[in-house]
Amino acid sequence: MIKHSNYTVEPWVLRECGINLDVLPQSESVFALSNGHVGWRGNLDEGEPHGLPGSYLNGVHELHPLPYAEAGYGYPESGQTVINVTNGKIIRLLVDDEPFDLRYGTVRSHERVLDFRTGLLHRTCEWVSPAGCTVKVRSTRLVSFTQRAIAAVRFEVEAVDSDVRLVVQSELMANEQLPRSDGDPRAAVALESPLVSEEHFAADARLRLVHTTARSGLRVAVAADHVVTGPDSTRTSSESGADVGRVTCTAQLKPGEVLRLEKTVSYGWSSTRSLPGVRDQVDAALAQAMSTGWDGLVGEQRQYLDDFWSRADVELDGDEEVQQAVRFALFHVLQAGARAEQRAIPAKGLTGSGYDGHSFWDTETFVLPLLTYTSPNAVEEALRWRHSTLPAAQDRAEQLGLEGAAFPWRTIEGSECSAYWPAGTAAFHVNADIADAAVRYVTATGDEGFEREIAVELLVETARLWRSLGHHDHHGVFHIDGVTGPDEYSAAMDDNTYTNLMARANLRHAADAVERHPRKAAELGVDDEESAAWRDAADAMHKPYNSELRVHEQHAGFTGHQLWDFAGTRADQYPLLLHFPYFDLYRKQVVKQADLVLAMYLRGEEFDADHKARNFAYYEPLTVRDSSLSACVQSVVAAEVGHLRLAYDYLVEAALLDLEDTENNTRDGVHIASLAGTWMALVAGFGGMRHRGDDLEFTPKLPERLRRLAFKLHIFGRRLAVEIRTSSVTYTLLEGDPLPLKHCGEQITVTAGAPVERKLPVWSVHPAPAQPPGRAPSHDHQQPFDRDGA
Ligand code: BGC
């Protein structure tokens, strides 16, 4: 668990015993609560000490100029950065004149527990003030899944062994001082005090602050109300200023007496609504939450999560640490996407300001697959958000001299924010990734209305992009030149195989969709000639191949490049991008993250088994995993080609990335794609699940370390449970009509009340390929358990 810290291994909670201020910033990320709309980092109630104070509202950002040493046509000029909005979680405490602050006095005990089943973050602390006065502090926090504008805290202080005078200050605070950032100074200036006060209000135990952002012109309103209970001596007052609203409670407690505050906070923002409009919005949300009450909010939260876990839980027997990590992962992915509702799902969710709060292809390729089969509504919302950004993507395509839509590599509100075009605009594959996610959602759910209203247009506009970006050569072969694939250590290359194969599927899916929806096609101006041109391009798509080596090339000419000097690269020189110039990475055979290997998973139908094994063996020794998006993909394909131990090592790497802070940047927020990739490694990797169109197939394999792996899926209007044991697998239909599926190529039908059991095939074990020196995944989780149960 997080280095140097006292975290326990338990199946349903993340527990920290004691407090280690050295890893406070990381703990703030892993203990972050969010519903996809509101995000609160796991900052201490009293606000200080902190690593990074963070309260986020999905979509609320500030603009800043993007710097270029040399100008060029089509470079995005304006950057977007997520901002720390008004902090509603602060509750400061004064114990007989002394601030409750863990850096002073004595911390007798301290515990924080994030419970994945209740969605509550609990904290208990026994603290002796420097003057010797002992208090117990308990807080419970939630960000509501059911009331998306709402977050709440129950805060209690108990006197332990002497009478004590207490002051509790519950605040709304805007423009908090942030730790100095070492990033772009222009962005830092924009973020220093991003909120301009419009209105502040305090009366009784109610507070409200309304601000706007200076450049992006967004209006942010936050309101809070309190229920205070304590001994007769308890008094409450409130006040507000431009950037602070405060409810102050004073009380004198005798030993055993408790002062309790229930604080409910509502958040709202808008780029268009008036001040009274946004004010009323947060007041209304607050009124509703107050009428639900604390217990009601807690009850709703539990119900929401019971429902989620009944659809999404993954159980594994044999490795408790990974079991915990998998639930931690599922919980955080749910938090990122649950109520994002037509907003982006950022790479760090709402757990930190890493990557400036931007979303990437991470959403469609890593996060949405998991949500498609567990929380399809969240996928619909995420894709509707993409669709709502079509006008910006169409403008961008036009600016680039292309047809259709060019979706941004990184963005908050829809326009391109990447200032580095080789690993930004040139990564056109994001367009096919979006199309792929839309097709996956439509075929998994059968949501025809969504297909007609949203998916067809996404497919058509991205198909147009590919048709205009690529060209037929004089032999008729279709090429897409000068693009960057997932591997960011090769840029602006010709015919990236991943991009070509994803584009091929995109073009075909678009042609199929317009046939199914002729009226919509006519509306979008698609005629037979245009869709025939898409099919021609798809059929003629180039797939670079080295016939001497008998491997597919990551891009045309890749296998002819000089090999990276792996032997001469020291362990402390990874990630390579921080120690070597890009120009050198670009011209050598070195792979940052799964690229051709990802193509073999997502477009598996394009490769036969022999080539999958050969290609995997070729690219493993070149792949350095300098991106957190790699291990999970390598796990899936390692499992498919039969390297189960290696697949398990990669699963562990993906699963523990944040809990062990492997990349040393969990302080900036958790890695949502890698967390979602944990599910991918288990379900698509060891479960061998592949879904294409109306076909669902499983090729299950159990790694040595596990006794059992069980997961559930929502697909084709049914609920299916899959349970893999050491020598057999059982498919159980939990809900819905009989479900045809394939088990290792054999067609079977699963009906309710009649689970189908099949033997696991026996796999011949080949030695796994090696990784670049020093880059092998850790084998720490390999100690094989005793299958006889000893
Ligand atoms: C990866 C990208 C990814 C981004 C955000 C980069 O390091 O190379 O593939 O989209 O991080 O997670």
Side-chain angles (χ1 to χ4, degrees), residues 614-686:
R614 298 182 63 81
N615 290 341
F616 185 77
Y618 185 84
Y619 286 94
E620 269 298 282
L622 305 177
T623 306
V624 294
R625 301 196 311 289
D626 280 352
S627 159
S628 65
L629 275 55
S630 203
C632 56
V633 179
Q634 286 169 267
S635 178
V636 172
V637 179
E640 180 168 354
V641 301
H643 306 306
L644 296 194
R645 283 184 150 236
L646 181 59
Y648 198 74
D649 289 341
Y650 282 144
L651 159 74
V652 171
E653 184 170 303
L656 297 180
L657 191 91
D658 286 310
L659 290 174
E660 297 206 327
D661 192 17
T662 333
E663 298 217 334
N664 290 318
N665 59 9
T666 293
R667 61 179 184 274
D668 302 330
V670 298
H671 299 73
I672 298 295
S674 178
L675 292 170
T678 306
W679 178 92
M680 187 195 274
L682 286 165
V683 174
F686 298 118

Side-chain angles (χ1 to χ4, degrees), residues 347-348 355 358 360-362 366 409 429 486-488 577 592-593 626-629 671 673:
K348 305 274 181 184
Y355 283 121
H358 293 167
F360 298 73
W361 71 307
D362 304 33
F366 294 81
W409 176 243
H429 67 82
D487 166 25
E488 296 184 345
L577 63 106
K592 180 183 182 191
Q593 63 202 95
D626 280 352
S627 159
S628 65
L629 275 55
H671 299 73

Side-chain angles (χ1 to χ4, degrees), residues 10 37 40 48 60 118 122 138 206 251 262 270 285 368 451 475 519 526 553 556 603 625 628 675 697 708 719 755:
E10 294 175 63
H37 177 58
W40 273 1
E48 293 171 34
V60 174
T118 61
H122 300 280
R138 292 182 286 270
R206 294 192 48 206
E262 283 166 9
S270 173
L368 297 194
E451 174 168 57
H475 300 293
R519 201 173 313 151
V526 185
E553 295 200 295
R603 299 271 67 88
R625 301 196 311 289
S628 65
L675 292 170
E697 171 153 20
R708 176 176 165 269
R719 276 200 323 125

Side-chain angles (χ1 to χ4, degrees), residues 314-647:
V314 176
E315 295 170 82
L316 41 92
D317 295 353
D319 191 333
E320 290 171 359
E321 206 175 341
V322 174
Q323 170 69 83
Q324 177 187 34
V326 168
R327 293 207 173 110
F328 170 81
L330 290 168
F331 183 75
H332 267 292
V333 175
L334 175 73
Q335 291 206 115
R339 304 296 308 270
E341 284 164 34
Q342 303 199 29
R343 291 279 153 209
I345 300 178
K348 305 274 181 184
L350 299 179
T351 67
S353 58
Y355 283 121
D356 285 334
H358 293 167
S359 343
F360 298 73
W361 71 307
D362 304 33
T363 305
E364 279 79 4
T365 304
F366 294 81
V367 178
L368 297 194
L370 150 56
L371 293 176
T372 299
Y373 307 110
T374 57
S375 292
N377 294 346
V379 179
E380 178 187 350
E381 295 289 342
L383 291 169
R384 279 183 184 273
W385 169 75
R386 275 294 185 194
H387 183 261
S388 75
T389 66
L390 247 182
Q394 287 161 329
D395 288 351
R396 180 72 175 148
E398 196 182 334
Q399 186 185 36
L400 299 173
L402 298 166
E403 304 285 318
F407 283 97
W409 176 243
R410 53 191 294 171
T411 191
I412 292 180
E413 51 74 298
S415 49
E416 180 61 85
C417 286
S418 172
Y420 183 63
W421 71 268
T425 296
F428 283 102
H429 67 82
V430 63
N431 296 284
D433 303 328
I434 293 168
D436 191 45
V439 170
R440 183 183 304 112
Y441 168 76
V442 169
T443 52
T445 60
D447 187 344
E448 273 177 36
F450 175 89
E451 174 168 57
R452 196 170 37 249
E453 199 191 326
I454 304 290
V456 177
E457 195 173 8
L458 285 176
L459 289 167
V460 165
E461 288 298 275
T462 46
R464 285 177 168 156
L465 176 89
W466 295 121
R467 185 61 195 80
S468 66
L469 186 62
H471 66 101
H472 289 279
D473 68 14
H474 58 280
H475 300 293
V477 179
F478 195 78
H479 300 274
I480 304 175
D481 295 336
V483 301
T484 302
D487 166 25
E488 296 184 345
Y489 288 169
S490 286
M493 300 292 175
D494 296 343
D495 286 314
N496 168 256
T497 302
Y498 172 85
T499 306
N500 284 13
L501 297 183
M502 293 296 285
R504 169 187 270 178
N506 190 162
L507 289 157
R508 286 183 177 150
H509 285 136
D512 294 345
V514 297
E515 268 174 33
R516 281 196 300 276
H517 298 276
R519 201 173 313 151
K520 184 78 186 182
E523 245 173 63
L524 297 171
V526 185
D527 56 22
D528 291 351
E529 206 179 320
E530 185 174 20
S531 62
W534 297 339
R535 288 200 195 277
D536 287 348
D539 292 346
M541 190 68 73
H542 185 48
K543 199 159 133 190
Y545 184 69
N546 181 328
S547 47
E548 269 171 47
L549 296 171
R550 292 187 28 240
V551 295
H552 290 92
E553 295 200 295
Q554 183 177 291
H555 60 75
F558 178 82
T559 53
H561 284 190
Q562 189 183 349
L563 279 181
W564 183 261
D565 178 12
F566 291 107
T569 308
R570 297 190 314 270
D572 64 354
Q573 290 177 307
Y574 291 95
L576 300 177
L577 63 106
L578 297 183
H579 299 93
F580 298 93
Y582 267 115
F583 93 90
D584 207 21
L585 294 165
Y586 289 168
R587 63 204 189 108
K588 305 261 169 74
Q589 289 194 63
V590 52
V591 177
K592 180 183 182 191
Q593 63 202 95
D595 186 314
L596 189 99
V597 168
L598 178 59
M600 293 201 294
Y601 163 41
L602 292 180
R603 299 271 67 88
E605 71 278 12
E606 295 272 0
F607 303 87
D608 61 31
D610 179 45
H611 278 102
K612 282 183 182 166
R614 298 182 63 81
N615 290 341
F616 185 77
Y618 185 84
Y619 286 94
E620 269 298 282
L622 305 177
T623 306
V624 294
R625 301 196 311 289
D626 280 352
S627 159
S628 65
L629 275 55
S630 203
C632 56
V633 179
Q634 286 169 267
S635 178
V636 172
V637 179
E640 180 168 354
V641 301
H643 306 306
L644 296 194
R645 283 184 150 236
L646 181 59

